[in-house]
Amino acid sequence: MKNTVKRILSVIMALAIVTVVFASCGNTSEETTAADATNAGDKVYNVGICQLVQHDALDAATEGFKKALTDKLGDNVKFDEQNASNEPTNCTTICGTFVSNNVDLIMANATPALTAAATATADIPIVATSVTDFATALDIKDFSGATGINVTGTADLAPLDEQAKMIKELVPDAKKVGILYCSAEANSKYQSDVITGYLTELGFEVKEYTFTDSNDISSVTTTAAENCDVLFAPTDNTVANNAEAIANVLEPAGVPLVAGESGICKGCGIATLSISYYDIGYKAGEMAYEILVNGKDPATMNVEYASNPVKMYMENRCTALEIAVPDTYEAIAE
């Protein structure tokens, strides 16, 4: 009986030893896999890009963003690049898909893309670019530089006081300034409110001319041209996407337009205080790298702004309108 008990105990002990050994081997394998997964050189990062619409400025920002990440990660970053065709509802669908696919990061190019991404997720990091004012876009009160949520990025706003001075500089005899923008774009309204103050200080009479979408842009532009000496268009995606239609109204009417960015200016304007959308996109890509690889928290990362804006002009339109352009302006290639 005693021998039987001893044999049973020996078997139990042997089984226990085998179990421990196999468990130990299993843990080692899991730990090795985890270590491999955390190796930045092996991980492939999946980034969803939601761009509101295709036009020169936003295209350049996306190009810069992708270049920054591929410069740093090579083949270890994959992009799912989607264009919303200027439909905010498409931004919502696109960002929802990114969340369902559990991407590592969302890049939101333009304000409606940002608001859609921020609504879709509070967990996945979001890096936005081509956004005029993050506080307005995200409805943040007492904004001090960082959003406090899973969002950071780069802004595309050039100094509005300098843009107001450009209007005075280029069209010194003008009395009435019309501000042309899409009422659906909150950041355009923000720019209009701010520059109105500066224009009023310079002695201009200012009036807003807004349209709801591309369907009424020609008629609204016609009304503005009939009642104003010069127009100002902020960094507005609908304006950018319909610059040719605006030019078709303003050029025969002989009314100049100062634009908030170079793409709009090239399409229908005489001058702009230009930033590089490629550069702000590239900076956004660098910020994305810091989040993905170095664990930075977007909630604490200050929004970055474009540096060294440049005064630029369209030579053909300025010549046609007999506008004298100072030597401090650079010509936009036509």
Side-chain angles (χ1 to χ4, degrees), residues 56 240 243-244 247 251 257-272 312-317 332-334:
D56 289 349
E244 183 178 355
E251 288 179 357
L257 179 145
V258 173
E261 56 95 359
S262 59
I264 295 174
C265 186
K266 190 171 183 177
C268 61
I270 61 163
T272 184
M312 305 189 77
Y313 74 106
M314 288 295 292
E315 186 174 6
N316 62 338
R317 293 195 186 101
I332 295 174
E334 299 179 25

Side-chain angles (χ1 to χ4, degrees), residues 136-150:
T136 299
L138 299 170
D139 194 25
I140 299 174
K141 308 300 181 186
D142 301 321
F143 180 68
S144 59
T147 65
I149 57 175
N150 60 317

Side-chain angles (χ1 to χ4, degrees), residues 156-167 169-170 191 195 232-235 257-263 265 270-277 306-313 328-330 332:
D156 65 355
L157 182 63
L160 288 164
D161 57 340
E162 295 301 318
Q163 295 181 62
K165 291 175 183 176
M166 285 174 60
I167 296 174
E169 183 175 51
L170 294 171
Q191 292 172 81
I195 200 169
F232 172 75
T235 54
L257 179 145
V258 173
E261 56 95 359
S262 59
C265 186
I270 61 163
T272 184
L273 187 61
S274 179
I275 67 164
S276 169
Y277 276 80
S307 59
N308 304 318
V310 178
K311 290 181 177 181
M312 305 189 77
Y313 74 106
T328 52
Y329 285 67
E330 296 182 10
I332 295 174

Side-chain angles (χ1 to χ4, degrees), residues 161-242:
D161 57 340
E162 295 301 318
Q163 295 181 62
K165 291 175 183 176
M166 285 174 60
I167 296 174
K168 187 72 171 179
E169 183 175 51
L170 294 171
V171 197
D173 295 330
K175 304 296 182 186
K176 297 180 180 180
V177 178
I179 303 178
L180 183 70
Y181 68 93
C182 179
S183 58
E185 297 199 28
N187 276 319
S188 297
K189 173 62 175 172
Y190 167 81
Q191 292 172 81
S192 179
D193 289 345
V194 173
I195 200 169
T196 292
Y198 293 127
L199 290 169
T200 302
E201 290 176 2
L202 292 171
F204 291 109
E205 180 183 335
V206 184
K207 184 175 179 179
E208 293 180 332
Y209 293 87
T210 63
F211 49 89
T212 55
D213 55 37
S214 59
N215 293 322
D216 58 347
I217 195 167
S218 292
S219 61
V220 172
T221 303
T222 298
T223 301
E226 290 172 348
N227 292 278
C228 299
D229 304 309
V230 58
L231 301 185
F232 172 75
T235 54
D236 182 291
N237 292 296
T238 308
V239 170
N241 207 37
N242 293 274

Side-chain angles (χ1 to χ4, degrees), residues 16-242:
I17 291 170
V18 170
T19 301
V20 169
V21 169
F22 274 99
S24 175
C25 291
N27 287 342
T28 301
S29 176
E30 290 174 1
E31 288 168 3
T32 302
T33 302
D36 289 343
T38 57
N39 186 330
D42 295 333
K43 180 173 174 58
V44 175
Y45 298 94
N46 293 300
V47 175
I49 297 176
C50 179
Q51 180 174 320
L52 175 64
V53 65
Q54 183 176 6
H55 66 66
D56 289 349
L58 300 190
D59 291 349
T62 293
E63 181 185 354
F65 176 83
K66 293 167 64 177
K67 184 64 165 60
L69 279 179
T70 53
D71 279 350
K72 292 179 176 293
L73 293 171
D75 294 334
N76 285 11
V77 59
K78 303 298 180 186
F79 301 105
D80 182 357
E81 186 175 346
Q82 301 293 327
N83 192 291
S85 302
N86 208 30
E87 292 290 343
T89 54
N90 290 344
C91 291
T92 300
T93 301
I94 291 166
C95 291
T97 301
F98 290 159
V99 173
S100 297
N101 292 340
N102 196 30
V103 297
D104 296 299
L105 183 139
I106 296 173
M107 190 278 248
N109 193 348
T111 299
L114 168 58
T115 55
T119 301
T121 179
D123 302 312
I124 296 173
I126 299 166
V127 176
T129 190
S130 312
V131 174
T132 302
D133 183 67
F134 278 71
T136 299
L138 299 170
D139 194 25
I140 299 174
K141 308 300 181 186
D142 301 321
F143 180 68
S144 59
T147 65
I149 57 175
N150 60 317
V151 175
T152 190
T154 54
D156 65 355
L157 182 63
L160 288 164
D161 57 340
E162 295 301 318
Q163 295 181 62
K165 291 175 183 176
M166 285 174 60
I167 296 174
K168 187 72 171 179
E169 183 175 51
L170 294 171
V171 197
D173 295 330
K175 304 296 182 186
K176 297 180 180 180
V177 178
I179 303 178
L180 183 70
Y181 68 93
C182 179
S183 58
E185 297 199 28
N187 276 319
S188 297
K189 173 62 175 172
Y190 167 81
Q191 292 172 81
S192 179
D193 289 345
V194 173
I195 200 169
T196 292
Y198 293 127
L199 290 169
T200 302
E201 290 176 2
L202 292 171
F204 291 109
E205 180 183 335
V206 184
K207 184 175 179 179
E208 293 180 332
Y209 293 87
T210 63
F211 49 89
T212 55
D213 55 37
S214 59
N215 293 322
D216 58 347
I217 195 167
S218 292
S219 61
V220 172
T221 303
T222 298
T223 301
E226 290 172 348
N227 292 278
C228 299
D229 304 309
V230 58
L231 301 185
F232 172 75
T235 54
D236 182 291
N237 292 296
T238 308
V239 170
N241 207 37
N242 293 274

